Structure formats: structure tokens, C-alpha cells
Amino acid sequence: MVQWTSAVGAGQLARLLGSQQDRPAGPGTRRPPAYRALADGIRLLVLEGRVPVAARLPAERELALALTVSRTTVAAAYEALRAEGFLESRRGAGSWTAVPAGNPLPARGLEPLPPEALGSVIDLGCAALPAPEPWLTRAVQGALEELPPYAHTHGDYPAGLPALRAMIAERYTARGIPTMPEQIMVTTGAMGAIDAICHLFGGRGERIAVESPSYANILQLMREAGARLVPVAMAEGLTGWDVDRWRQVLRDAAPRIAYVVADFHNPTGALADEDQRRRLVDAARSAGTVLVADETMSELWLDDDVEMPRPVCAFDPAGSTVITVGSASKAFWAGMRIGWVRAAPDVIRSLVAARAYADLGTPVLEQLAVNWLFSTGGWEQAVTVRREQARQNRDELVAAVRRELPDWEFEVPRGGLTLWVRTGGLSGSRLAEAGERVGVRVPSGPRFGVDGAFEGYVRLPFTVGGAVAEEAAARLAAAARLVESGGGVVGGGGEAPRTFVA
């Protein structure tokens, strides 16, 4: 019986291995043998989830040709991986990746830290803050008061509760975007919204243009849906979108969908100006591409003098090109899994019809809670508190990182929840693994890219402040020292493999 479920080509594996960067070795530093470096690189790709578990690896001769190394080097690396539990082989079936007993399967997205690890590990993996109280409790209490009439129904509202759809439409209209309730579908978070859009417009094998870097969980969602991702590089720093490059990619690749986060981009924090938004919509319209605008960060401006541009959909009055996605998860609380789609009525009808084969609808109680927040002014009060908390966390984390890691480079965003950091030539993947060993969880840059890009980056969210931010930066500095000394690789140098927390 064949044990592998997918395959990795020699060229693809060579590109992934080539993306791994390390600081040049200093005088007197011993480099590991070539086979050891190759084994460590493959192991790191498995632990990062960038090469799946149970993926068939290339034959020794094929990989040796792709890497321009000897077949003996590849054979020795494979043997080392087998000895450490990261590779299994059978004559006639080849070799496939594995994880040693006791190691949980690595995740390819950004999952919350398991509760049992919260006491010993600082979690910089999940860009989400605790619930703003007392507004969460008040919203749930208000929802309970409104619940009885709905309890006498079947409870399935595939398009969302009529009251909430009307309220969301009113909010868009108040922003200068006339919107009818028929243009709104309530979803289970922004992820549920984008999943529905991808299945409607981006069938298996369809191209989807994405910013590079982009939000890791959305990229993985699209991969799981069978999409072919077409990366479009972001400009350096916070300047954001190179619209001429976007126009060329949309024209040449003709993707069915393009996904953008124009409001405090995740992970870079960039904010697209009105001219960029207008030109991006024009480019998508000319190419016949559906432009999906993710607005989940749009209310999280952190500096008082930020002037927010008009929404992306403001430049598509006919509603033929732009689909907007919003959510309560970032601005309010990740546990409030309420998202929404704004699109042309015919698109909403198609999304609703397709939903019958997915989740049928979004929980009623949570919808009533969000509707209570919108209708009472509680939303604005809670988001104001959220901004103040995120601003303070941002400033304290920035100060701590600059003090502990002066070689790391970044620009401070004026909104959102994330800091995109260049790690002074160190491998982000190796930093992430070393961080697990010293008690700080940080996502590496390649999670936010396509085919191994951004190895020299990590993403730091504004989820901790004060003494915790200082300790997180100190642990990151300790992880950096481990990587610089060559001790940041699981199982390297004769150590036993350590547990990987996804």
C-alpha cells in the first residue's frame, strides 16, 4: 500500500530550499557538512508545513541534479532524515515525509496557541486581542433579549438575519456607498466569506492574483480550494501597491479573482491611497477580474491624524467588479465569528444558493449580538477602546524590538495589528523554530508568501504590551542568537527532535 498522498517535484523542492537564508558564517565558525545542511533544510520545510507530511520526495538522482550536488549527498541527507523520523521509505514506493512520534502534525496556517501552552509560551502567532469588555457581555445580553421571536423559527438564514443585513447596508450607505440589504450576505467570519467567493468564482485550477506577501490563512484556504496563486509583489515599506505591476499581471495572467487588503494590509500594515484604489479597480475591470477587497482592518487606524480613503467599492458604482468582505473579528473580537459580503444582488443570490451545500447559515445569537452593537453605538465605543489598546501595544512592542534587536528593520504602520520585520539576514523559518525552544511563538515570513518567498522576515502582531512585550523581544533576541550559533534547527547537531507547536 502506497503511504504518500502527494508529491513534491525536484525543481519545487530546490526552490523551497534555496529560499532559506542564513547569516554568513563568521571566522572560525564551522559549517555543517552538505548532507547535514540539506537534511536540516528539508526538516525545516516539513516543520513549517511548507512541504506536507506524507509528501513523496524526489528520487535521489533527480534532487541531486536539481541542487547540483552529488547523489551521495542526497542519499546521506535522506538517511539522516529517516534516522530522525522525518522520512519513511519503502522499496518500489519511494520516500515520503513524516513527523516523529510525539510531534503534532505541523499546520500551514496561523492557528491560536493551544490553551495548555499559554502559561509558558508568548503567542505572537495570532493577530487578535482579548474581547473588549463590558461591550461583549452587553451585546450578548442584548442578543438574548431579542432571541425569543427567532427561537420560534427554523433558525436557518442563509443570507443572514434581515435586521443585520439591513444594518450593514445602512453602514455602507452612511460611508457614501449606497447599498441595499439585497447586496449583503452574512457569513461565518471573513474566512467563511472568502471561502464562499473562491468556490463560486475560483474553481479548481483557476488563477487567483494575490499580494505578495499576503495573509497566510487566506493563502492556504485558496491552496486547499485548488487555486493557482499568482503573486504580485508589494512595494517596499508602507507605500503598498505597484498598480502598473498589477495591471500587467491581471492582463497577462487573466486571473478569475484578485484578492487585496487595501486597509492596513496584513502583514505589512500598508494603506492604499485613493489613487491606488481607483487604478486597481480600473485594472481589474479591464481584465475582467473579480476584485475581492478585504476590509477586516478598515476601522483599526491607530494614529489620530490618519485620513481614511474611500472604500475600494466606492470606485465601482455599478458593482460589477468589486466584492467587499468585512468582519467583526479583528475590530471587535476574534470569538465573534461574524463576517459579511457586499456585492451586486445577483452575486449575493448565487452565494446564498451555493451556501445550501456548505453551512446553511451563521449562528443567530452572534448575529443578534453584532446587530445590537451596531444599533446602540456600542460598536463605536468598543472599537475606540480596541484602537487605544492596539496603539499602546504597538508603541511598546516597537520600542522593545528596537532595543533588543537593533539590526532588525521595519516601518511602523499607522493602523492594523501587525508589524512586518526584516530579520537582519536571519532565516525567519529558523527563528520561528528557535522561538519555540525559548518560549515565543512567531510566524515566519514564508507563511505569507508563495513558493518560499520572504524567508528573511517575521510578522509581529500588536497583541502584547508592557512587560510581556519586553519579554517577547528578549526571547526573540535569544532565538536570534540560537540561529546565529547554528543551534536553531530541530534535531541538528545530534539533538533529539523537539515538539513543534503550530
Side-chain angles (χ1 to χ4, degrees):
M1 178 180 177
V2 177
Q3 301 295 313
W4 49 272
T5 57
S6 61
V8 180
Q12 180 187 6
L13 185 55
R15 287 193 300 273
L16 290 170
L17 289 165
S19 73
Q20 296 174 339
Q21 302 170 3
D22 284 305
R23 187 185 297 274
T29 302
R30 294 181 58 189
R31 290 188 176 274
Y35 85 90
R36 181 73 262 171
L38 176 56
D40 289 345
I42 294 173
R43 179 190 301 104
L44 197 61
L45 292 173
V46 174
L47 291 174
E48 275 277 293
R50 292 158 60 200
V51 169
V53 174
R56 186 180 186 273
L57 295 186
E60 294 171 0
R61 187 185 303 278
E62 294 174 1
L63 186 57
L65 287 172
L67 295 174
T68 63
V69 300
S70 71
R71 182 177 177 182
T72 302
T73 296
V74 177
Y78 278 14
E79 181 58 36
L81 290 169
R82 278 190 287 269
E84 294 155 6
F86 286 91
L87 196 68
E88 296 181 10
S89 304
R90 197 179 71 226
R91 185 178 299 276
S95 299
W96 56 91
T97 57
V99 292
N103 283 47
L105 292 179
R108 303 190 71 181
L110 303 178
E111 289 73 26
L113 192 67
E116 61 271 16
L118 289 175
S120 59
V121 179
I122 298 175
D123 186 9
L124 297 181
C126 189
L129 291 163
E133 288 288 25
W135 291 277
L136 175 62
T137 298
R138 291 176 182 173
V140 173
Q141 290 171 343
L144 287 171
E145 294 175 1
E146 299 292 330
L147 183 61
Y150 295 94
H152 295 291
T153 73
H154 49 64
D156 288 332
Y157 295 86
L161 293 184
L164 181 55
R165 295 177 72 196
M167 182 61 67
I168 295 171
E170 286 180 18
R171 291 174 64 84
Y172 276 106
T173 300
R175 295 168 67 190
I177 318 296
T179 303
M180 304 177 294
E182 291 79 9
Q183 291 178 261
I184 302 296
M185 181 178 82
V186 180
T187 62
T188 307
M191 293 286 289
I194 294 170
D195 182 60
I197 294 166
C198 287
H199 280 88
L200 181 63
F201 290 100
R204 186 165 294 276
E206 290 280 2
R207 294 184 180 91
I208 300 180
V210 295
E211 297 145 330
S212 182
S214 187
Y215 179 38
N217 285 343
I218 293 296
L219 295 180
Q220 188 57 25
L221 182 154
M222 292 172 175
R223 292 186 186 103
E224 297 291 341
R228 298 162 61 189
L229 301 184
V230 182
V232 186
M234 296 283 286
E236 284 293 321
L238 300 179
T239 55
W241 292 260
D242 183 337
V243 182
D244 290 336
R245 184 179 295 168
W246 269 97
R247 187 177 296 277
Q248 179 181 353
V249 169
L250 295 181
R251 182 185 65 239
D252 295 347
R256 187 71 180 92
I257 301 173
Y259 170 76
V260 298
V261 186
D263 300 288
F264 306 118
H265 175 261
N266 187 353
T268 68
L271 176 66
D273 61 31
E274 289 214 358
D275 182 62
Q276 289 172 322
R277 295 167 189 240
R278 179 185 297 106
R279 294 174 60 206
L280 192 56
V281 172
D282 289 344
R285 184 182 296 115
S286 297
T289 297
V290 175
L291 183 62
V292 180
D294 186 334
E295 288 190 336
T296 54
M297 297 282 191
S298 64
E299 295 191 63
L300 290 175
W301 64 86
L302 304 184
D303 296 328
D304 293 336
D305 58 345
V306 173
E307 294 186 12
M308 290 299 296
R310 287 179 289 170
V312 174
C313 59
F315 304 98
D316 180 40
S320 59
T321 299
V322 177
I323 297 178
T324 302
V325 172
S327 172
S329 297
K330 295 297 185 183
F332 186 75
W333 184 45
M336 189 69 77
R337 304 303 304 160
I338 299 295
W340 53 86
V341 178
R342 181 198 179 275
D346 62 321
V347 173
I348 294 297
R349 286 193 293 271
S350 296
L351 289 170
V352 171
R355 194 174 193 180
Y357 306 101
D359 61 358
L360 292 177
T362 302
V364 170
L365 188 62
E366 284 86 339
Q367 292 188 71
L368 289 172
V370 171
N371 193 59
W372 183 93
L373 289 165
F374 284 157
S375 61
T376 63
W379 177 268
E380 285 70 24
Q381 296 176 59
V383 172
T384 297
V385 171
R386 172 68 81 229
R387 292 192 198 108
E388 294 172 354
Q389 183 181 12
R391 182 189 306 116
Q392 181 175 347
N393 285 356
R394 177 197 64 181
D395 296 345
E396 292 171 347
L397 182 65
V398 163
V401 172
R402 283 177 170 164
R403 181 174 58 254
E404 296 285 345
L405 294 150
D407 291 340
W408 288 18
E409 302 172 15
F410 53 85
E411 290 190 42
V412 181
R414 307 194 68 193
L417 289 172
T418 58
L419 193 67
W420 186 237
V421 181
R422 193 193 301 267
T423 56
L426 296 179
S427 161
S429 298
R430 296 178 190 274
L431 280 167
E433 191 282 321
E436 300 286 349
R437 303 172 66 182
V438 298
V440 60
R441 178 176 179 255
V442 58
S444 65
R447 290 183 178 271
F448 303 88
V450 177
D451 286 338
F454 308 110
E455 185 61 61
Y457 290 81
V458 294
R459 190 195 74 172
L460 305 180
F462 312 144
T463 52
V464 296
V468 180
E470 293 178 4
E471 179 62 21
R475 294 185 187 187
L476 285 172
R481 289 191 294 272
L482 268 177
V483 174
E484 288 178 314
S485 68
V489 179
V490 172
E495 290 188 20
R498 300 178 67 93
T499 300
F500 178 80
V501 183

